[in-house]
Amino acid sequence: MRKYLLFILAFCILPLSAQNSADRLLQNTVYKLKKDGSIAMTLDAAVKNEGTTEHMEMVIRMSGTGFYAQMEDNTLWFDGKTMWNGKDFGDGIEEIYITEPTPEEKARYDIISLIEKHQGFSVSGNGTDTFILTASNPERSVEGISKVSIKVDAGTYAIQNIQVEFDEGLGGISATAKVTEYKPGQKFDKAVFTCPVKDYKDAEIIDLR
């Protein structure tokens, strides 16, 4: 379920003035993300599932089509064409799955476009610092997401907190993530988004291309 933290989206019915305010807040947040360019981000996340809560730190790197995410037992590299998914079962990465995602699958890792287009989601908010995207059909939305609330700094539009809720059919899973570090304008080497397979000599390579 940890992969669901990589996706951001949500909803709520409010008066028209609040609706327009939420739209502006969303677009200003998207504008900042685009302006910030390549981004390094760290999040303190918690996933609730069947009455239990799992805490973890998540490290994200984004630049153009490149995407990198690292959690306790999972590391993801995506260079815009090829994706490597490394599984860690306690002794380091032991399995690496290699795929070439379809255009639809690639779009799931373009977080900025997901927020900007929010296809299948309506926009609402509290009129000040939070916008919410709610799925019209959670069962068919991205990864079964039903709602995502994003709180930003009202002055700078920097994302501060993210709350994600999933379709009830998935078991009432929800996730929250607090941004603890945000560094815009980074200059990443392309290697950041490519798995150094040769460094994992003991890992089983499962090439699904």
Side-chain angles (χ1 to χ4, degrees):
M1 297 303 173
R2 298 175 182 178
K3 66 179 180 178
Y4 297 137
L5 292 172
L6 305 179
F7 308 102
I8 302 175
L9 302 149
F11 163 89
C12 179
I13 298 175
L14 293 175
L16 182 59
S17 60
Q19 178 69 47
N20 289 341
S21 176
D23 286 334
R24 288 195 298 271
L25 191 63
L26 182 153
Q27 294 304 328
N28 284 335
T29 301
V30 169
Y31 175 78
K32 173 177 173 52
L33 288 169
K34 289 182 176 180
K35 184 179 179 181
D36 285 348
S38 298
I39 298 168
M41 191 186 313
T42 304
L43 301 95
D44 182 12
V47 179
K48 295 183 179 180
N49 185 11
E50 297 181 346
T52 63
T53 302
E54 185 176 6
H55 295 272
M56 69 199 75
E57 182 179 78
M58 177 183 238
V59 175
I60 293 177
R61 303 285 184 264
M62 297 189 299
S63 181
T65 57
F67 186 86
Y68 168 89
Q70 190 275 324
M71 292 166 278
E72 290 179 352
D73 61 2
N74 195 48
T75 303
L76 188 74
W77 297 263
F78 179 53
D79 65 2
K81 177 183 179 182
T82 304
M83 181 176 294
W84 298 263
N85 193 339
K87 304 292 186 179
D88 184 339
F89 301 108
D91 296 314
I93 291 179
E94 299 173 26
E95 292 180 354
I96 299 174
Y97 291 80
I98 306 175
T99 59
E100 288 187 357
T102 64
E104 293 76 19
E105 291 170 334
K106 290 179 182 179
R108 297 180 181 183
Y109 295 91
D110 187 348
I111 293 176
I112 295 175
S113 290
L114 278 174
I115 299 174
E116 182 177 27
K117 297 177 181 178
H118 53 272
Q119 295 177 348
F121 290 80
S122 58
V123 184
S124 63
N126 64 3
T128 54
D129 62 2
T130 301
F131 62 88
I132 305 166
L133 301 172
T134 301
S136 57
N137 187 346
E139 292 182 358
R140 301 184 64 181
S141 70
V142 178
E143 300 299 338
I145 292 174
S146 61
K147 181 188 292 187
V148 178
S149 301
I150 300 178
K151 180 180 179 181
V152 304
D153 182 290
T156 65
Y157 304 108
I159 295 175
Q160 296 180 323
N161 289 281
I162 303 165
Q163 293 182 323
V164 185
E165 297 177 18
F166 298 90
D167 181 61
E168 292 183 0
L170 294 175
I173 300 167
S174 64
T176 61
K178 178 181 179 181
V179 177
T180 58
E181 183 178 54
Y182 184 91
K183 295 181 178 180
Q186 299 296 293
K187 294 182 179 180
F188 297 123
D189 188 286
K190 292 182 179 180
V192 169
F193 307 109
T194 303
C195 176
V197 176
K198 64 179 184 300
D199 292 346
Y200 301 103
K201 297 179 181 179
D202 297 327
E204 179 182 2
I205 309 301
I206 303 158
D207 195 333
L208 302 176
R209 291 175 291 181

